Amino acid sequence: MYDFPNKTFITKSLRLFGFILITLIAFSEYTTAQSMPRIGDHWDATIDSTQKILLPPPLGIKNKIDFEREGIKFTGAVSDRKIISIITRDPNFEIGGLKYIGTELSSFKDRNQIKQIRGWGNFLPLSDGWYAVFDFKDLSDTSKVLYLFKKEDHF
């Protein structure tokens, strides 16, 4: 059996390699998780209190924020520096690997779950708390998703 002349060096090297690998994995998970703000997160960036957004009831008028993540543009609303809604019209945004902006209502198998909020639109629940929003008038199978909306509570 061969006896390595410097077992301590090899042991320390393997431990260091393991530590670096775990640190890189943890950092990768942290940066991925932080790429998209979530409902309820604290908004640390600047809020221009002159920029407002009108949201469906019962949310009302709130401070508006705009941000971009991975080339996708979002608008959000904050109350007391807490994110309470996120909206996107960006056709490249994906939920669960699917793009929804511009998709016709007929493409949704659960389209009977759509909820109308008068004057605002027709909201179809998707996964992860998102809603596909269709125009509030003349809803038909050819109606297309105008934007995606996520809020603190479900309708």
Side-chain angles (χ1 to χ4, degrees), residues 7-8 23 26 34 36-37 46 74 84 108 110 119 132 139-140 142:
K7 288 181 186 177
T8 306
T23 303
Q34 295 300 312
M36 178 68 180
T46 304
F74 297 92
I84 61 169
F108 294 91
D110 56 350
L139 186 66
S140 70
T142 59

Side-chain angles (χ1 to χ4, degrees), residues 10-27:
I10 294 172
T11 303
K12 286 183 180 180
S13 296
L14 287 174
R15 285 184 184 159
L16 179 61
F17 175 75
F19 173 75
I20 291 170
L21 182 62
I22 290 170
T23 303
L24 288 173
I25 291 170
F27 182 73

Side-chain angles (χ1 to χ4, degrees), residues 62-74:
K62 300 295 178 191
N63 287 323
K64 177 184 168 197
I65 57 173
D66 292 307
F67 58 96
E68 188 174 316
R69 294 294 188 272
E70 298 176 18
I72 307 289
K73 293 180 181 181
F74 297 92

Side-chain angles (χ1 to χ4, degrees), residues 104-106 111 114-116 121-124 132-145:
E104 290 187 351
L105 180 59
S106 62
R111 61 183 172 267
I114 202 160
K115 296 176 176 145
Q116 183 184 47
N122 293 285
F123 291 73
L124 181 65
V133 183
F134 299 84
D135 199 343
F136 66 92
K137 28 180 193 170
D138 303 325
L139 186 66
S140 70
D141 280 348
T142 59
S143 297
K144 294 183 179 182
V145 175

Side-chain angles (χ1 to χ4, degrees), residues 56 86-89 93 95 98-111 113-117 120-136 139 143-151 154-155:
I86 300 172
I87 302 164
T88 186
R89 287 178 162 73
F93 181 63
I95 301 170
L98 299 173
K99 294 179 182 180
Y100 289 98
I101 303 294
T103 302
E104 290 187 351
L105 180 59
S106 62
S107 300
F108 294 91
K109 63 182 176 184
D110 56 350
R111 61 183 172 267
Q113 294 185 19
I114 202 160
K115 296 176 176 145
Q116 183 184 47
I117 298 180
W120 284 96
N122 293 285
F123 291 73
L124 181 65
L126 302 172
S127 62
D128 195 27
W130 285 96
Y131 290 88
V133 183
F134 299 84
D135 199 343
F136 66 92
L139 186 66
S143 297
K144 294 183 179 182
V145 175
L146 301 175
Y147 61 95
L148 299 169
F149 178 81
K150 189 173 190 175
K151 72 181 200 78
H154 298 288
F155 289 111

